[in-house]
Amino acid sequence: MTDTNPQKAILVTGSTSGIGQAIAKKFAALGYDVAVNGFEPEADVAAAVADISKGATGQVAYFQADLGAGAAGFDLVNAVIAKFGRLDVLVNNAGVQKVAPIDELPPEDWDRIRAISLDSAFHCIRAALPGMKARKAGRIINISSAHGLRASPFKSAYVATKHGVIGLTKTVALEVAEMGITCNAICPGYVWTPLVERQLNDQAKTHNMSPEDVIRNIMLAPQPTKQFVQPEEIAELSAYLASDWARSITGTSISIDGGWTAK
């Protein structure tokens, strides 16, 4: 199939802050049409969308969707395609966290973490693939975690779903390996984002530590560099994986974790 429209489009789920916002901003600067996604009303994320739009040459549009609600991801992708006419890059980034012993974790928290971190990736991928297959080109990037490769206590739902994301990544990559489509997972260590910042009080309570001790003795303890990964580092890696130079990288999980999984 001849691609007569060179303008490419990307959807980044969960892109109103943190890693997702950095990725969306990077691709906007690269000239993509960018679909920004969050569960908040558009008025509440106007500042984030405006930040992403700085320097953009393509369109930047906000799509409100609660990806914890059933097959909302499927409808989200179709809305993006209806707006931009295509979807070339899908970044499944949306995720939530809950820190608690497994016997104290409310089942509704388990269900919501799984729905947002894993189920939504499935629904978005199944909606994105038909167009990618028709063009014989596409990039799917799933944001997993170092916790997709290693476990930590008190994070049962998060660890389980991030392991699941890696399994999904491998399966999709094998299914579309001959179709010009790649599917990879990025596995960050601790990235300084609002999500991590919000964990501080939960972690401090669970471990009976001060927030400062949580940062030093819990969060950065497994990262030999003793530094938080920055969201922009994830954005740069995403841009590379979306490029033609990364066409032979598929089905893999790339760690960007300050050496955490080297141990």
Side-chain angles (χ1 to χ4, degrees), residues 87-111:
L87 183 62
D88 300 276
V89 181
L90 168 64
V91 180
N92 288 305
N93 168 73
V96 291
Q97 175 65 282
K98 176 72 173 181
V99 179
I102 192 167
D103 54 331
E104 298 177 16
L105 181 70
E108 56 268 26
D109 285 333
W110 172 280
D111 290 341

Side-chain angles (χ1 to χ4, degrees), residues 52-75:
I52 292 166
S53 299
K54 291 177 183 176
T57 56
Q59 301 178 70
V60 176
Y62 180 67
F63 295 80
Q64 183 183 2
D66 180 359
L67 295 181
F74 188 85
D75 295 335

